[in-house]
Amino acid sequence: MQFDLNEDQVALREMARDFAAEKIAPHAIRWDEEKHFPVNVMREAASLGMGGIYIRDDVGGSALTRLDAALIFEALAQGCPTVSAFISIHNMASWMIDAFGNDGQRQKWLPRLCTMELIASYCLTEPGSGSDAASLRTRAVRDGDHYVLNGQKQFISGAGGGDLYVVMVRTGGEGPGGISTLVVDGNTPGLSLGANERKMGWNAQPTRAVIFENARVPVENRLGEEGIGFKIAMAGLDGGRINITACSLGGAQCALDKALAYMKERKAFGKRLDEFQALQFRLADMAIELEAARTFVWRAAAALDRKDPDATKLCAMAKRFGTDVGFEVANQALQLHGGYGYLSEYGIEKIVRDLRVHQILEGTNEIMRLIVARKMIEGAR
């Protein structure tokens, strides 16, 4: 077990923190207000190796570990959880091509994905299937050397700003065994987009429906064989859950740091806020919960790197615990600011809004409990 970071990991985390402080944090509130998708800034991050963190290096990836990725995403999220989260989604979609694509597919797409010249989005959720992902209805019918796609994907991060969509489609019968994975070019005729959703948070990345109406996609764009798409989707989500939890911790750490700085300056009843023991206890509890969640994320990431049999369960556990902790710490930080925490200029209310969705996406926290319980029951047989 690893309870400390080596010199390379510390340097990696500091590099990401410095980038976030210089390139992301000063603009985060404005990007949120203007719903600006900062593609150019993300490409700068990619030039530092953050566009293909755990992609193999023969196609331009950084070939780092899942633990390294967790450190990077937490650090970037201290600048803006929304931007960090999208970079994590791009990495997840790119990894699916790296892990399940053939060499031709890898060479075709990954060099430009690693530089974020191409932006990737992940398409699993549909209007009628979120938590019950295996019931998806988007269908791909084979027609010679192409599939003809019809259906709709919902809540797709980066849609409209992206260039490639890694799409789970039904090529066979009902259930998970009938699902395959296609890489779809964003310019494909028959692919259209819904309106940019009006959301509580995550405003610095677009969220749209992706609609397929007789869209023709080459069979050569399929990842792996027909019928393994659900396996691909779930494999991606193990890492995605670690990534999004790391983003929660980074946002929450930023909120805690802001609260601590505010309490050193703000006075009430003749004393600074940080001199009140009750508030000191609250700060301590916030820091303790964050550190516990961080340790959990590191353990789950290390298990994923080792391909540990318990990795899926640990990733689900860490996601449930860490995203709940992240939101609660940010919410407590807002409370410690009093009325000022409710004002946008302090940046706290944005973090609270951004972190709320982390308890829903990459599998809701109710589904995380279900995964953990099922793994426990299986292990007891």
Side-chain angles (χ1 to χ4, degrees):
M1 294 302 297
Q2 181 174 2
F3 292 96
D4 202 3
L5 304 178
N6 61 40
E7 290 183 6
D8 289 342
Q9 290 169 324
V10 170
L12 191 67
R13 182 173 63 181
E14 290 306 309
M15 177 270 292
R17 279 181 179 171
D18 291 345
F19 182 87
E22 179 184 355
K23 300 289 187 176
I24 298 176
H27 312 289
I29 293 175
R30 177 174 60 83
W31 290 342
D32 176 76
E33 292 173 346
E34 298 177 0
K35 293 191 173 183
H36 174 68
F37 191 36
V39 172
N40 288 340
V41 172
M42 291 191 291
R43 285 177 177 152
E44 287 188 58
S47 72
L48 299 174
M50 292 184 266
I53 296 170
Y54 38 84
I55 306 302
R56 283 173 277 176
D57 55 11
D58 66 314
V59 287
S62 298
L64 297 174
T65 67
R66 297 294 185 149
L67 177 54
D68 296 330
L71 300 175
I72 289 171
F73 292 129
E74 179 177 351
L76 290 178
Q78 292 185 44
C80 177
T82 304
V83 174
S84 183
F86 182 77
I87 296 175
S88 84
I89 293 167
H90 170 87
N91 271 267
M92 179 177 70
S94 300
W95 174 83
M96 292 178 180
I97 297 173
D98 190 37
F100 295 96
N102 58 42
D103 191 60
Q105 293 168 330
R106 295 178 65 249
Q107 296 294 336
K108 178 180 180 180
W109 291 310
L110 287 171
R112 290 186 292 163
L113 287 168
C114 289
T115 62
M116 295 190 79
E117 176 188 344
L118 295 179
I119 305 293
S121 292
Y122 171 74
C123 298
L124 175 63
T125 299
E126 297 185 0
S129 62
S131 295
D132 184 15
S135 68
L136 66 85
R137 310 307 304 169
T138 296
R139 181 159 289 279
V141 177
R142 182 80 177 256
D143 181 22
D145 293 334
H146 288 77
Y147 288 103
V148 180
L149 271 63
N150 283 282
Q152 179 174 326
K153 297 296 179 177
Q154 188 75 8
F155 305 130
I156 305 306
S157 296
D163 305 283
L164 289 179
Y165 298 92
V166 179
V167 187
M168 310 304 149
V169 297
R170 188 163 300 283
T171 54
E174 297 297 314
I179 296 170
S180 301
T181 302
L182 299 178
V183 179
V184 183
D185 189 298
N187 294 318
T188 300
L191 185 158
S192 61
L193 302 167
N196 191 7
E197 302 284 3
R198 298 174 62 188
K199 309 187 295 287
M200 175 180 175
W202 270 31
N203 290 317
Q205 56 168 283
T207 303
R208 293 182 171 92
V210 178
I211 304 157
F212 303 101
E213 297 176 299
N214 294 321
R216 296 180 66 84
V217 178
V219 172
E220 65 184 20
N221 285 24
R222 187 186 67 222
L223 298 181
E225 299 301 317
E226 283 194 357
I228 68 165
F230 194 73
K231 172 187 172 183
I232 294 174
M234 295 303 103
L237 285 175
D238 279 344
R241 286 163 184 159
I242 292 299
N243 295 347
I244 208 64
T245 307
C247 293
S248 286
L249 301 184
Q253 185 65 59
C254 178
L256 177 56
D257 292 344
K258 286 177 180 287
L260 189 56
Y262 176 79
M263 292 169 67
K264 287 180 178 295
E265 298 175 358
R266 176 74 173 181
K267 289 187 176 181
F269 306 103
K271 295 198 300 184
R272 295 196 321 264
L273 293 187
D274 65 357
E275 295 179 298
F276 288 91
Q277 189 178 66
L279 300 185
Q280 291 174 357
F281 286 175
R282 187 178 298 189
L283 286 172
D285 285 341
M286 293 160 72
I288 291 166
E289 292 287 299
L290 265 182
E291 192 61 31
R294 184 174 293 116
T295 303
F296 209 155
V297 166
W298 290 7
R299 183 185 175 201
L304 198 56
D305 284 324
R306 292 193 310 270
K307 297 180 173 55
D308 191 294
D310 280 339
T312 293
K313 181 176 74 173
L314 288 168
C315 289
M317 286 178 163
K319 197 269 179 181
R320 201 293 297 168
F321 184 72
T323 56
D324 282 352
V325 165
F327 177 76
E328 183 57 28
V329 167
N331 196 40
Q332 288 292 329
L334 189 154
Q335 187 72 17
L336 288 169
H337 276 75
Y340 291 103
Y342 207 66
L343 303 181
S344 62
E345 66 190 87
Y346 283 77
I348 295 289
E349 59 86 31
K350 174 193 176 300
I351 295 172
V352 172
R353 289 188 288 106
D354 284 347
L355 297 194
R356 182 59 184 88
V357 75
H358 295 196
Q359 296 167 293
I360 298 171
L361 51 79
E362 310 288 20
T364 66
N365 284 3
E366 289 76 16
I367 292 297
M368 296 306 98
R369 294 179 175 92
L370 184 60
I371 291 169
V372 171
R374 284 176 173 173
K375 293 294 184 182
M376 291 172 62
I377 292 167
E378 288 171 8
R381 287 174 182 162

